Amino acid sequence: MLTVTKQTQVNIGGLSFSGQMTRQAEGVVAESVALDAAVAGSLTTRSDDDSGTVTTPVEHGLNSADTVNVFWEGGCRYGMDINSIGVGGDTVTLEGGAGDVLPAQDTSVFIAKQVSVAVSVDGDLAVYMVALASTRGHIAFHTASACLHAVSLPASEAWEWASEHGIANPLTGDPIVEILASAGSGSAASLQLGILYDSVT
């Protein structure tokens, strides 16, 4: 049996709150992933809510086959396809994806390649999950056919879910087979992810 223990300490309005949460289960997913820095650019053409062209430095390392996440202040559109890269290499045309609609033309953005993390877990059996990125980031939990749940991660702020707290399990559905992650700033990041889950039996 595996155990997760979380200590909480909060100070607000002159009051101090402390507590401890413990969960136990048979299985665990524990991943530590390095994420490359995102590419800075500007949305110089906004075709519609989910397509446009970003002007970037020439040496950006992006390819026409890449699927990327696009970040800007206050928003993120994830799972966008690169349609084309300009002849000079300094423009990247994007379309599709999900999440927030693209921002206004000429907004500063970051483009980040998605990193694939292979996992195998039935989210219906989860009792606790947590993710933490050292910079702003994004993770998306995928089944064999679709994105089941996506989360934007503020820098150094943990996202978590725990059973028995009255909040629906966000990973209910088909089993998770892949997590797609990216940093959302011009700095490389480290991502840590943990899922504690019960046995099928």
Side-chain angles (χ1 to χ4, degrees):
M1 187 71 70
L2 302 168
T3 300
V4 166
T5 301
K6 177 191 173 184
Q7 303 285 345
T8 302
Q9 182 71 45
V10 177
N11 295 293
I12 183 170
L15 299 177
S16 178
F17 302 81
S18 61
Q20 177 175 296
M21 181 196 73
T22 301
R23 295 289 184 273
Q24 291 186 317
E26 294 85 4
V28 66
V29 171
E31 298 285 348
S32 182
V33 183
L35 303 175
D36 290 338
V39 176
S42 176
L43 184 66
T44 45
T45 300
R46 187 189 192 278
S47 303
D48 52 38
D49 286 348
D50 63 359
S51 62
T53 299
V54 177
T55 298
T56 66
V58 174
E59 300 298 327
H60 48 62
L62 300 171
N63 299 296
S64 57
D66 289 337
T67 301
V68 298
N69 297 340
V70 180
F71 297 82
W72 60 93
E73 185 175 355
C76 172
R77 188 162 187 84
Y78 60 94
M80 299 193 76
D81 295 320
I82 295 181
N83 254 357
S84 62
I85 294 176
V87 175
D90 62 346
T91 58
V92 179
T93 301
L94 307 164
E95 72 169 4
D100 299 317
V101 300
L102 289 175
Q105 187 167 306
D106 297 324
T107 297
S108 295
V109 299
F110 286 100
I111 304 175
K113 290 184 183 181
Q114 293 182 330
V115 174
S116 175
V117 182
V119 297
S120 179
V121 60
D122 187 345
D124 292 272
L125 302 177
V127 297
Y128 181 76
M129 59 188 83
V130 60
L132 177 68
S134 58
T135 71
R136 183 185 181 190
H138 187 275
I139 55 173
F141 298 87
H142 283 253
T143 69
S145 60
C147 176
L148 186 61
H149 187 63
V151 181
S152 289
L153 300 172
S156 301
E157 292 186 18
W159 167 82
E160 65 178 343
W161 174 87
S163 61
E164 301 177 26
H165 275 195
I167 300 173
N169 181 347
L171 300 188
T172 299
D174 291 335
I176 304 300
V177 299
E178 181 182 37
I179 296 169
L180 296 176
S182 78
S185 75
S187 300
S190 60
L191 169 71
Q192 292 180 304
L193 172 76
I195 302 174
L196 188 69
Y197 60 93
D198 283 323
S199 168
V200 174
T201 57

